[in-house]
Amino acid sequence: MLYAGFMSAAPPSAPTPQEPVEPPQLLQLGLDDEPCLRADAARNRARLLEAAAGLVAARGADAVTMEEVAAAAGVGKGTVFRRFGDRTGLLMALLDHSEKKLQAAFLSGPPPLGPGAPPAERLRAFGRAALRRTVEDLELQLAAEADPGRRFTLPPYRVRHHHVALLLRQAVPDADCDVLAHTLLAQLDPALIHHLMHQCGMPPQRLEDAWTDLVDRITGTTA
């Protein structure tokens, strides 16, 4: 895991001014789109994802099982397992495009989401963008939730955690920013967003306002 020592008793030290705050290698931690696949393997992967997307559109994310995707794509079930590993891997591949767009926006896009704005302002923009993305893909994100042993080690979560921790180190360098980043990211959990929107009746704007308020309180700033 990227932050194997984040549970140590002593808070991590703040970065020195010479330390890079946006390591270029972070872009390599996103979901793997397998750029080196053979042409036939790439075609098979595209056909499987198209079949899975069709099942989601027609019957919802619960219809996406390895067996049904294999049948819809006209391949054996073993082919789906070899390509994606398990159902979570398949669903994560479906979410790959929008996740990479979000990553590109907060790592290298224009401010305030991208570099160039104060850290607290970037944190506010990051949460709002992540919330909107989750609301758009909520059913699929819920279906793609990894088991507890994997959810915090998947590359997309690690990229988000690293990004939020870096911004926190700039905004509140005396805090335990590794742990605090996990605390902030918990507010973006798809299951919590589903509960707040569909069981508590909260509109997405209220969730965005709550994120901004939390960032302001943590960083001691105001929007």
Side-chain angles (χ1 to χ4, degrees):
M1 184 175 177
L2 190 62
Y3 286 96
F6 84 96
M7 291 300 289
S8 59
S13 59
T16 64
Q18 290 75 29
E19 289 183 7
V21 295
E22 296 290 356
Q25 63 267 28
L26 273 182
L27 287 169
Q28 304 302 317
L29 290 177
L31 294 173
D32 183 8
D33 59 1
E34 303 181 78
C36 298
L37 285 177
R38 299 190 318 273
D40 57 340
R43 284 193 297 269
N44 284 340
R45 184 177 189 274
R47 189 167 71 224
L48 289 167
L49 289 174
E50 182 180 358
L55 286 171
V56 172
R59 294 163 48 196
D62 287 343
V64 182
T65 66
M66 304 299 261
E67 293 80 3
E68 295 218 18
V69 169
V75 301
K77 183 173 67 174
T79 300
V80 189
F81 279 98
R82 284 192 299 273
R83 176 57 53 209
F84 300 105
D86 57 16
R87 182 173 182 272
T88 296
L90 172 61
L91 296 175
M92 291 298 292
L94 282 176
L95 290 168
D96 175 83
H97 181 65
S98 61
E99 180 66 26
K100 283 191 172 178
K101 284 177 62 178
L102 176 62
Q103 285 184 17
F106 68 70
L107 289 171
S108 58
L113 183 55
E121 190 174 347
R122 293 190 67 194
L123 280 170
R124 295 185 199 103
F126 168 78
R128 290 193 295 267
L131 278 164
R132 290 167 189 165
R133 187 244 171 178
T134 297
V135 170
E136 290 172 2
D137 295 327
L138 186 55
E139 183 182 2
L140 191 53
Q141 290 211 31
L142 288 171
E145 282 280 273
D147 63 78
R150 293 178 56 202
R151 65 182 303 182
F152 301 113
T153 63
L154 290 173
Y157 183 88
R158 292 167 62 192
V159 171
R160 291 186 179 203
H161 177 269
H162 196 165
H163 177 67
V164 171
L166 285 170
L167 294 177
L168 286 170
R169 288 193 183 103
Q170 297 175 57
V172 283
D174 58 337
D176 188 340
C177 295
D178 281 340
V179 175
L180 190 55
H182 286 293
T183 303
L184 270 173
L185 288 171
Q187 191 166 338
L188 305 178
D189 180 72
L192 176 61
I193 292 171
H194 179 271
H195 168 70
L196 295 176
M197 289 180 56
H198 296 285
Q199 296 176 324
C200 300
M202 295 184 187
Q205 185 60 53
R206 182 174 175 184
L207 304 185
E208 292 186 30
D209 292 343
W211 170 271
T212 298
D213 180 65
L214 182 58
V215 169
D216 291 350
R217 292 175 186 275
I218 289 172
T219 61
T221 61
T222 55

